[in-house]
Amino acid sequence: MFRSRSKDEKAAADKVSPDLSKQPRDPQARKGRPTPKRSEAQSQRRRAVSPPLDRKEAMRRQREARRADLARQREALASGDERYLPARDRGPVRRFVRDFVDSRFFVAELFLPLAVIILVMSVVRAGQTQFIATLLWLGVIVMIVVDSVGLTIRLKKQLNERFPNEPKKGAVAYGLMRTLQMRRLRLPKPQVKRGERP
């Protein structure tokens, strides 16, 4: 059992036919090649990585890696793939918050277009337009605040029911910030339709 092998046995073990390597191997059978020494295995691993030759090369590799990561994140933001999303968008709680917000209409979605209209109206010096612009501005702000308070109450209730043991820090603020974006411009892209409950 612990004896050294003869030269004939070593030669037979070295001759491994290629068609036998494709067949499933018996776990008790020999592998057909000697186990590499530790120093050889470590040198092979080091050779695979090949450290950069100079600073420029290191910076170029780092830039390429960063560019690849950002491209993967962009694709994930468009498709909703959880694996490559940024840390702020990952997890079941954040996914639920996104779906909860995307399934409803909020006045805050119209904030940017309304702000542009109100600013144009406030610049025009024709009669009552500045007064109307001020009233519109006040009305939009009040509707957004009321809408946001309602969202906060409903979202906290749903999060406590569905995720009692998960950390929920920042989830409501994440939802409120998502309501301020127009649905078409939201990232990660909405995965549910309006009226569809998450």
Side-chain angles (χ1 to χ4, degrees):
M1 182 167 143
F2 292 111
R3 65 182 175 84
S4 63
R5 297 190 302 181
S6 68
K7 290 182 182 177
D8 296 333
E9 288 176 344
K10 286 182 183 176
D14 288 342
K15 294 178 185 176
V16 177
S17 61
D19 55 347
L20 290 177
S21 63
K22 292 188 178 32
Q23 296 175 352
R25 193 172 67 83
D26 179 26
Q28 299 299 319
R30 294 184 178 163
K31 62 185 171 201
R33 60 181 164 75
T35 302
K37 291 185 177 172
R38 179 179 295 209
S39 60
E40 292 172 1
Q42 286 176 343
S43 68
Q44 284 177 347
R45 282 199 302 262
R46 283 194 198 109
R47 236 182 288 131
V49 173
S50 72
L53 301 173
D54 57 357
R55 244 178 105 221
K56 273 188 175 179
E57 177 69 18
M59 293 299 286
R60 188 182 63 76
R61 285 185 184 181
Q62 192 176 21
R63 216 175 15 253
E64 286 175 3
R66 195 177 322 119
R67 193 174 295 137
D69 287 345
L70 288 174
R72 236 188 335 240
Q73 271 189 2
R74 246 191 324 273
E75 288 173 18
L77 286 170
S79 66
D81 186 7
E82 284 276 332
R83 293 174 297 170
Y84 302 114
L85 285 175
R88 71 164 197 266
D89 296 319
R90 268 190 230 136
V93 174
R94 297 296 170 112
R95 175 179 275 288
F96 174 76
V97 171
R98 284 195 303 271
D99 292 346
F100 188 85
V101 169
D102 293 338
S103 66
R104 293 163 172 77
F105 172 78
F106 293 96
V107 178
E109 291 178 40
L110 303 175
F111 176 72
L112 287 176
L114 286 174
V116 170
I117 292 170
I118 291 169
L119 281 173
V120 169
M121 286 178 66
S122 64
V123 172
V124 175
R125 299 240 179 231
Q128 296 289 325
T129 52
Q130 289 181 333
F131 180 70
I132 293 170
T134 307
L135 285 178
L136 262 173
W137 191 246
L138 185 64
V140 167
I141 297 293
V142 168
M143 286 191 299
I144 288 174
V145 167
V146 169
D147 217 8
S148 298
V149 169
L151 170 70
T152 302
I153 293 168
R154 286 178 294 178
L155 190 54
K156 277 185 181 179
K157 182 181 174 190
Q158 288 290 321
L159 286 173
N160 288 331
E161 286 176 8
R162 291 186 187 224
F163 305 100
N165 300 326
E166 296 268 339
K168 297 175 274 295
K169 184 178 180 185
V172 175
Y174 178 73
L176 288 172
M177 292 307 294
R178 194 162 172 90
T179 61
L180 285 172
Q181 301 166 348
M182 288 188 284
R183 184 179 167 88
R184 204 176 308 152
L185 303 177
R186 290 178 185 163
L187 290 175
K189 295 277 186 205
Q191 302 293 315
V192 294
K193 295 177 181 162
R194 282 195 208 265
E196 190 178 310
R197 294 293 179 238

